Amino acid sequence: MTVAPKREDYDVVVIGAGPAGLAAAATSAEAGLSTLLLDENIGPGGQVFRAISSTPVTDRNQLGADYWVGADLVQALRASNAEVIHRATVWSLDRNLDIAVSIGGASAFVKAKRVILATGALERPFPIPGWTLPGVMTAGAAQTMLKSSALVPDGRTVIAGQGPLLWLLAAQILRLGGRIDRILDTTERGNYFAALPHAFAFLTSPYFAKGLSMMREVKAKVQVVSGVTELAASGDGQLAGVSYVAGGKRDTIPADLLLLHQGVVPNVNLAMSAGIEHRWDDLQLCWSPVLDASCGSSVAGIAIAGDGAGIGGANAAVVRGRIAARAAVEALAPAAAAKLAPMATLRSDLAKAERGRLFLDTLFRPAPQFRIPSGDTIVCRCEEVTAKDVLDSVAIGATGPNQLKAYRRTGMGPCQGRLCGLTVTELMAQARGKTPQEIGYYRLRAPVKPITLAELAAVPKSEADVKAVVRG
């Protein structure tokens, strides 16, 4: 059964039901504002709390205590008066706060007084030779299957890359009886020294004890190779082996499954399509929106909370969601804001949640050779464009990602640049001797997610709409 929005306009529309979206929707609804939460997935939780209401993994130790925090957020949302629609794909958001959403193959349009974007993060592209082979997946995809269906690898499995999620996934796979043959750690040795100045904040943060115990748990059961400087997947139509260089020595191991991960980056497509200003973050090596202290963006009425505002983790995402919702309540119903936690308390909570983050960002800053590919390595998976194709286009006049579309169609496939955008920006910046900020990003327009022509054609049209395109 398709559920359409109950109204045409709302005080607050929250997009995304991850940690930030759940917290934001519950907070604004609790204050009495008409609130609509739209989410693409079958149930609440986003990636961090994926399948929190339906996971077959019932032993709480297997997924870890942090995962089950999501159950409390879902409970708070359900206790509020927020309207929630799942399997709802938002494909357009504009400066007037008009939202187009596809639900069950039909589009609906709603207007908001305030929009809170909680679209979360994506895994950073990891363009190595062979990364498009069947049998190569991202760690996030493997974790989705683990949480939603309790599926774990049983064939020869290699996990490669770096970052907290890599270790968390490895621990979860092992706890559920899955197989991991080797972990290839691509963290640059120099990053350990660069991160040292930020070590005290990290050592006194919750990240430290959790991370240390998880790494010990994994290293007790799996061979870990650190200092990996080269990585490639090989096979004839199917992954067969993974080759790598560590300590100057090359090795190849047979593999049926390779899980890749080198951190997450903000999912900026919807925000950028709405015209929100973004800047290149040289530490996290990604685009981040320019926001004020209340998560407000450069477009009046649109706030961004959670990892879409810059990577901060689940605890920070929850607090950012509450900050953005409180700011909306203060603007629309100031008297109701008295019911909510004071903004000063929330900002203090955020500082606590972000403690130690600078250390992690510095330590797990991915190496250039794993971000900026060369030769025949595929960059744009949708259109099968290689690094050489991009460089050849630069040589004959392509100046940035938008010009490259005309030369090679990069970023024009179903993913709309999500899997290649950062790679294209950095590759072109390096080739042209410019900064990523100077090179820029794809110009994104609605629809930001694929919808059918039939659905567009069925959208209700006013007489004025018809006159605008039909000559009398």
Side-chain angles (χ1 to χ4, degrees):
M1 186 181 77
T2 301
V3 181
K6 291 175 183 170
R7 329 160 40 132
E8 289 183 359
D9 52 82
Y10 293 83
D11 292 326
V12 177
V13 174
V14 180
I15 300 169
L22 291 170
T27 302
S28 81
E30 182 193 325
L33 298 186
S34 59
T35 304
L36 172 65
L37 174 59
L38 298 168
D39 185 69
E40 271 190 331
N41 297 300
I42 195 167
Q47 181 57 28
V48 174
F49 304 130
R50 167 86 53 186
I52 189 71
S53 305
S54 60
T55 181
V57 184
T58 51
D59 178 346
R60 294 202 160 207
N61 294 322
Q62 290 180 328
L63 293 177
D66 287 350
Y67 173 74
W68 295 102
V69 171
D72 296 334
L73 289 169
V74 172
Q75 197 173 350
L77 176 71
R78 287 178 177 160
S80 77
N81 289 322
E83 184 183 336
V84 182
I85 304 178
H86 286 291
R87 292 180 169 172
T89 301
V90 174
W91 55 265
S92 177
L93 167 66
D94 66 20
R95 289 173 166 271
N96 300 318
L97 311 194
D98 287 319
I99 299 154
V101 54
S102 175
I103 305 165
S107 278
F109 295 83
V110 293
K111 190 163 179 62
K113 290 177 184 163
R114 288 288 183 280
V115 171
I116 299 175
L117 286 180
T119 49
L122 300 166
E123 280 184 275
R124 179 188 294 282
F126 203 149
I128 59 166
W131 73 310
T132 59
L133 279 170
V136 182
M137 291 169 57
T138 68
Q143 198 183 46
T144 293
M145 293 198 293
L146 184 149
K147 288 174 179 174
S148 55
S149 308
L151 288 173
V152 289
D154 59 1
R156 298 168 300 182
T157 302
V158 176
I159 301 182
Q162 58 177 21
L165 175 63
L166 182 143
W167 295 99
L168 175 60
L169 174 66
Q172 290 171 338
I173 287 172
L174 294 171
R175 288 171 197 161
L176 267 78
R179 174 176 171 176
I180 304 172
D181 292 58
R182 204 168 296 182
I183 292 175
L184 306 177
D185 185 352
T186 61
T187 309
E188 280 194 292
R189 296 204 187 280
N191 287 5
Y192 288 92
F193 298 105
L196 269 180
H198 313 297
F200 179 74
F202 176 69
L203 293 172
T204 54
S205 77
Y207 291 120
F208 174 65
K210 285 178 196 166
L212 193 63
S213 95
M214 209 156 47
M215 288 172 83
R216 278 183 179 152
E217 179 186 345
V218 172
K219 286 180 173 181
K221 297 176 181 173
V222 181
Q223 182 187 349
V224 176
V225 180
S226 58
V228 172
T229 54
E230 285 182 41
L231 191 61
S234 58
D236 184 12
Q238 174 73 32
L239 176 70
V242 178
S243 61
Y244 63 93
V245 173
K249 293 179 184 171
R250 185 176 296 277
D251 194 6
T252 300
I253 47 173
D256 304 303
L257 178 66
L258 169 62
L259 301 177
L260 294 173
H261 179 77
Q262 55 175 349
V264 294
V265 293
N267 180 359
V268 297
N269 280 40
L270 190 59
M272 280 196 171
S273 74
I276 289 168
E277 185 188 350
H278 286 68
R279 286 196 196 126
W280 181 260
D281 181 328
D282 204 46
L283 177 60
Q284 293 191 347
L285 297 166
C286 58
W287 298 102
S288 290
V290 178
L291 302 174
D292 63 24
S294 299
C295 301
S297 74
S298 62
V299 174
I302 302 180
I304 304 179
D307 277 353
I311 304 305
N315 294 341
V318 169
V319 184
R320 285 175 180 172
R322 289 179 180 142
I323 288 173
R326 187 188 163 98
V329 174
E330 284 174 357
L332 300 176
K339 293 183 192 173
L340 306 174
M343 195 65 97
T345 304
L346 292 173
R347 292 203 173 116
S348 162
D349 291 347
L350 182 59
K352 208 178 295 177
E354 289 180 335
R355 189 173 179 79
R357 192 75 227 175
L358 209 49
F359 177 87
L360 291 174
D361 288 344
T362 308
L363 178 62
F364 294 127
R365 193 171 187 264
Q369 69 268 28
F370 297 126
R371 304 189 328 263
I372 307 171
S374 58
D376 291 332
T377 302
I378 296 271
V379 169
C380 171
R381 298 172 68 117
C382 298
E383 302 292 335
E384 296 189 341
V385 179
T386 67
K388 182 180 181 300
D389 293 333
V390 174
L391 296 179
D392 287 349
S393 301
V394 170
I396 58 172
T399 55
N402 292 304
Q403 292 72 30
L404 190 63
K405 288 179 181 179
Y407 290 73
R408 299 289 177 180
R409 291 186 49 80
T410 48
M412 295 178 77
C415 91
Q416 289 292 285
R418 287 173 184 81
L419 293 175
C420 68
L422 291 177
T423 311
V424 164
T425 290
E426 287 209 86
L427 191 55
M428 296 188 85
Q430 186 185 69
R432 297 194 59 219
K434 292 187 176 291
T435 65
Q437 183 72 43
E438 289 170 317
I439 290 293
Y441 195 66
Y442 295 126
R443 190 175 298 111
L444 295 157
R445 298 188 180 93
V448 294
K449 288 283 180 84
I451 55 170
T452 64
L453 284 172
E455 185 172 338
L456 273 179
V459 166
K461 289 166 280 291
S462 68
E463 199 177 328
D465 294 333
V466 176
K467 281 183 177 170
V469 293
V470 178
R471 291 171 190 265

